[in-house]
Amino acid sequence: MDGNGRWAQQRNKRRTAGHKAGVEAVREAVSYARKKGIQALTLFAFSSENWQRPKDEISVLMDLFSFVLKSEVKKLNKNDIRLKVIGDISAFDEKLREKIRAAEALTKSNQSLILNIAANYGGRWDIINAAKSLFQKVSSNECSIDDIDEASFSQHISTHGLADLDLLIRTGGDHRISNFLLWQCAYAEFYFTDTLWPDFKEDLFAKAVEDFSLRQRRFGLTGEQIMTQDIEPKAC
Ligand code: IPE
Ligand code: MG
């Protein structure tokens, strides 16, 4: 979700006004994903690198996160949406952590959409975390080193249990991953748009999905194999 600051600056407002405006785009994205029957939507709300921003911007972002968690959770629950926060939440203050735990607990049985909020998240952190958990299991003889493969590793990644990432959308005009779902991106399709996040409304999300649906995903096979044979392409 990139471009909040620029959206505000273009309107001679403070960057934080862009973050506030971005909340409405979040609502639209969640409602569109729910309506479309998308299994999971992961929103990159705050990266592990975002701590380096000015203190007052971080403080507004934390307050906003806390406020939105509280104000939206009932609606999410009513719409059968499961909320999960992925990232190292130990860095957040106890009040926020409590709100996160409460929202996750309330929505934990919901199945229509998994909404992952990546907060204090980094793709490398995610991979290292998985490596640490597996190392612990090997050290305590719960599994052997030979049991470690892509499938077992995936079980220790923050999005475990979900299918591989299909589509990664980045708004705001930059063409990079910025330490987002690195492990999960292996076979994802990428969609970049210049639209700034607060302007990324339902029709633009639909356009990205439409673009994605027209792509031929080959997963290492040839185009002919995909067209002519009954091969189920598989991400490894
Ligand atoms: C993305 O918008 C929101 C967060 C990282 C929280 P930015 O704040 O990065 O907006 P730009 O890139 O400065 O316009
Ligand atoms: Mg940015």
Side-chain angles (χ1 to χ4, degrees), residues 12 27 39 41 65 113 115 125 140 143 147 203 206 225:
N12 292 319
R27 286 194 192 99
Q39 184 199 16
L41 174 70
F65 186 27
L113 170 70
L115 173 62
W125 166 85
S140 59
C143 74
D147 296 329
D203 56 329
Q225 280 176 301

Side-chain angles (χ1 to χ4, degrees), residues 130-131 133-134 137-138 143-157 160-161 183:
S133 325
L134 274 167
K137 285 195 167 167
V138 172
C143 74
S144 104
I145 200 144
D146 296 328
D147 296 329
I148 299 178
D149 56 15
E150 291 181 15
S152 63
F153 200 88
S154 292
Q155 289 309 309
H156 293 81
I157 287 282
H160 60 90
W183 172 270

Side-chain angles (χ1 to χ4, degrees), residues 62-111:
M62 292 300 142
D63 289 349
L64 200 57
F65 186 27
S66 185
F67 172 77
V68 172
L69 260 181
K70 198 160 182 240
S71 65
E72 301 292 309
V73 71
K74 278 193 190 134
K75 200 165 85 187
L76 293 177
N77 194 38
K78 210 175 93 197
N79 288 301
D80 197 33
I81 297 170
R82 178 172 186 182
L83 181 111
K84 282 175 132 182
V85 174
I86 59 168
D88 182 7
I89 67 161
S90 68
F92 297 138
D93 72 36
E94 179 47 31
K95 269 191 184 162
L96 181 52
R97 292 207 302 266
E98 182 45 39
K99 278 187 187 142
I100 292 171
R101 284 193 290 266
E104 288 182 334
L106 180 73
T107 61
K108 74 173 192 301
S109 310
N110 297 342
Q111 294 194 338

Side-chain angles (χ1 to χ4, degrees), residues 1-7 9 15 19 44-47 50 53 57 61 170 172 174 196-197:
M1 301 189 286
D2 202 11
N4 292 350
R6 281 165 283 164
W7 183 94
Q9 281 158 345
R15 294 177 48 81
H19 298 314
F44 204 176
F46 192 83
S47 76
N50 286 149
R53 290 195 175 195
E57 182 170 342
L61 281 167
R170 183 178 182 135
D174 286 318
L196 303 174
W197 176 255

Side-chain angles (χ1 to χ4, degrees), residues 30-39 112 202 205-206 209-210:
V30 173
S31 124
Y32 174 76
R34 170 72 176 82
K35 205 164 63 183
K36 258 304 222 186
I38 289 170
Q39 184 199 16
S112 294
E202 178 170 330
F205 196 165
V209 172
E210 162 79 8

